[in-house]
Amino acid sequence: MIELTKTDTHWIATINRPEKANSLTRDMLAELADIAEAAEVAQVPALILTGAGKVFSAGADLDQARAGLATDDVWERLSGAVAAFSGLSICAMNGTLAGGACGMALACDMRLSVPGAKVFYPVMKLGFLPQPSDPVRMRALIGPARTKMILMGGAKITTDEAYAFGLIDRIVPADELLDQAIALTESVAGAKPELRAAIKGMCA
């Protein structure tokens, strides 16, 4: 349910479970973490995360969430692996981003989105704490009040609001999403790994 496309310049990891709104099982999360870790070892210039269908991810698979996935360490392993990747990481949001799936998106260097997508993270309503790094990364992007609006107020943020907040960085037509994401990887593709890592570190 995770498809990986590899080139010399970038890897694309696609969540491919559209019949379940790309909801994530533990095995899928572990596979995504494996991919991010392998991309770092291989010194891949860029890593793109996206989804199949019209939803990026609805978050945790509900049955597995009730069975313990909602509080599993695999979420932090995944977001930590994406954050530690020294190349350029891009979340190409093909649709709505919800729940724990926000963690991997927040850990990326940038987020592109199609029009009409929403972002929400209803942990309070569901009775769970967010993963520890998620509020930290969200607050760094949009500030404490807007982070509370999402995590405590349960707000569903529209694409335009998310762009205005700084939660997403560019809104692009659906048929151009991957092309625009790949275009952003072109300059890092020919750079030495130490240069990519140095510039990324300077931007942190």
Side-chain angles (χ1 to χ4, degrees), residues 1-5 12-25 28-29 31-32 35 48-59 75 78 91-94 96-98 100-102 104-105:
M1 287 179 277
I2 304 298
E3 293 183 355
L4 179 60
T5 303
I12 302 175
T14 303
I15 305 167
N16 190 6
R17 198 188 184 199
E19 72 282 2
K20 295 288 186 179
N22 287 336
S23 58
L24 297 158
T25 65
M28 292 167 69
L29 290 162
E31 187 172 355
L32 285 165
I35 289 168
I48 299 170
L49 304 178
T50 192
K54 296 185 178 181
V55 176
F56 176 80
S57 176
W75 298 97
L78 171 54
C91 180
M93 289 170 49
N94 56 296
T96 291
L97 168 67
C102 290
M104 71 177 99

Side-chain angles (χ1 to χ4, degrees), residues 58 135 146 170:
R146 287 167 173 169
R170 181 177 285 176

Side-chain angles (χ1 to χ4, degrees), residues 81-96:
V82 173
F85 176 62
S86 58
L88 182 66
S89 55
I90 301 173
C91 180
M93 289 170 49
N94 56 296
T96 291

Side-chain angles (χ1 to χ4, degrees), residues 4-204:
L4 179 60
T5 303
K6 295 182 179 182
T7 75
D8 292 338
T9 59
H10 61 270
W11 289 5
I12 302 175
T14 303
I15 305 167
N16 190 6
R17 198 188 184 199
E19 72 282 2
K20 295 288 186 179
N22 287 336
S23 58
L24 297 158
T25 65
R26 192 187 189 288
D27 286 347
M28 292 167 69
L29 290 162
E31 187 172 355
L32 285 165
D34 288 343
I35 289 168
E37 290 165 355
E40 176 62 16
V41 171
Q43 296 188 325
V44 178
L47 175 64
I48 299 170
L49 304 178
T50 192
K54 296 185 178 181
V55 176
F56 176 80
S57 176
D61 175 272
L62 289 179
D63 290 337
Q64 290 202 11
R66 297 186 190 102
L69 180 60
T71 57
D72 197 292
D73 289 344
V74 70
W75 298 97
E76 282 290 288
R77 180 190 163 210
L78 171 54
S79 60
V82 173
F85 176 62
S86 58
L88 182 66
S89 55
I90 301 173
C91 180
M93 289 170 49
N94 56 296
T96 291
L97 168 67
C102 290
M104 71 177 99
L106 291 167
C108 285
D109 296 315
M110 61 189 72
R111 286 147 294 282
L112 311 185
S113 177
V114 300
K118 291 183 172 62
V119 179
F120 58 100
Y121 199 160
V123 282
M124 183 160 281
K125 181 178 180 180
L126 296 173
F128 298 113
L129 287 172
Q131 294 302 315
S133 65
D134 292 355
V136 176
R137 294 191 178 107
M138 188 179 291
R139 185 181 67 228
L141 290 171
I142 66 174
R146 287 167 173 169
T147 298
K148 291 170 191 171
M149 185 188 299
I150 294 171
L151 296 180
M152 300 182 75
K156 290 186 177 181
I157 306 300
T158 66
T159 313
D160 289 340
E161 285 178 311
Y163 178 72
F165 286 5
L167 192 59
I168 61 174
D169 303 294
R170 181 177 285 176
I171 302 171
V172 301
D175 60 354
E176 297 178 16
L177 180 64
L178 279 181
D179 287 343
Q180 289 207 28
I182 291 168
L184 287 167
T185 72
E186 290 176 359
S187 64
V188 299
K192 294 180 179 179
E194 57 268 25
L195 180 61
R196 294 195 295 263
I199 292 178
K200 186 166 179 173
M202 294 170 73
C203 297

